[in-house]
Amino acid sequence: MPYKLVGRTTLQKGRRLWELVGRLKNFGVGRLVVRSAHDHYPEPCFYRIVMAKPEMDTGRPHMDEDNLKGSVLVERIFRGRHDGVVDISKVAYKPDFRLVHRHEEARYIEAYKNYKPEEVRLINPVLEMPPLLKLVAERDGHAAKELKVRLCRTAKNCRLAKEGETPTETFSIGLGKPANPDLYEGIL
C-alpha cells in the first residue's frame, strides 16, 4: 500500500539542538553548530555554543520527556557578521541543526576570517520627477521638482549618500537604451 503524506512539507533538515548537544561532553560547549535554513547564504553562518543548560526533570513527572526545552547561549556568526552572544532557546526545538565535525571547524572559522563584505553602494538621495508628475505638480502650484528617495529596510549593502558624499549609484528617469533602436526612428 502506498504512503500518503499529509500536511505541509518543511525546509528544515537535521536534528533538534538538544538531540545533538545532549550526547556531547559539557553539552557541546565550544563546538560549532550549523542551521540548514542558513545554507543558501553565500556568507559564512554558524553558531559556537557558549552555554547549554537543558531543562531536566525537576521532580515533576513527564515534564520534558522529549528534551525540547532549556537555555542555549551561542556566539552567532550570521552572514559573515559576528552578532555576539545571543540566546537561541526559542529555536532550539526546530529539527534544523547539524553538528560540525571537528575536522571541518577550521574551514568554517577560516571562511569567517577571510570573508570580505561587499562594498556599500551610495544612492543619490533625490531623484528627478517623472515628466507627467512634473506637469501635475506645476499645474497644482507645487515648487518641488525632485523626489526624495526612501530605501526599504531590506535593501542590503546600500544607503543614501549624505551631505558631501558622492553617490556611486545614480538613477535617471527615461526609457534607457532600447533593444532595437530602429523601431524608434522618426519618433519625437
Side-chain angles (χ1 to χ4, degrees), residues 72-143:
V72 183
L73 294 177
V74 296
E75 274 185 74
R76 180 168 65 183
I77 309 296
F78 181 68
R79 300 194 73 173
R81 186 182 69 242
H82 187 275
D83 290 340
V85 177
V86 296
D87 184 15
I88 61 167
S89 302
K90 302 255 190 232
V91 294
Y93 72 93
K94 294 182 178 183
D96 196 31
F97 293 92
R98 180 177 62 85
L99 184 68
V100 177
H101 294 285
R102 289 267 189 207
H103 64 275
E104 291 179 356
E105 286 183 1
R107 185 170 52 99
Y108 278 88
I109 293 171
E110 192 68 29
Y112 166 63
K113 288 184 179 178
N114 293 336
Y115 174 71
K116 302 269 189 281
E118 291 181 21
E119 187 176 315
V120 176
R121 298 178 301 155
L122 298 175
I123 309 292
N124 197 0
V126 292
L127 184 64
E128 180 186 349
M129 258 190 206
L132 186 60
L133 185 61
K134 194 183 289 184
L135 287 174
V136 171
E138 286 174 2
R139 184 189 69 194
D140 292 345
H142 295 288

Side-chain angles (χ1 to χ4, degrees), residues 38-45 79 115 118:
H38 302 319
D39 285 344
H40 66 279
Y41 294 123
E43 301 92 0
C45 301
R79 300 194 73 173
Y115 174 71
E118 291 181 21

Side-chain angles (χ1 to χ4, degrees), residues 28-90:
V29 172
R31 296 292 302 268
L32 296 185
V33 179
V34 178
R35 282 190 68 183
S36 65
H38 302 319
D39 285 344
H40 66 279
Y41 294 123
E43 301 92 0
C45 301
F46 59 89
Y47 301 106
R48 180 185 299 278
I49 300 173
V50 175
M51 192 253 337
K53 184 178 174 187
E55 191 173 296
M56 301 221 171
D57 187 11
T58 57
R60 295 179 284 181
H62 312 295
M63 187 181 124
D64 192 17
E65 289 179 350
D66 296 330
N67 290 332
L68 296 177
K69 297 179 183 172
S71 61
V72 183
L73 294 177
V74 296
E75 274 185 74
R76 180 168 65 183
I77 309 296
F78 181 68
R79 300 194 73 173
R81 186 182 69 242
H82 187 275
D83 290 340
V85 177
V86 296
D87 184 15
I88 61 167
S89 302
K90 302 255 190 232

Side-chain angles (χ1 to χ4, degrees), residues 166-183:
T166 57
T168 58
E169 301 270 337
T170 56
F171 302 104
S172 62
I173 301 296
L175 298 175
K177 183 181 174 196
N180 194 348
D182 298 338
L183 295 174

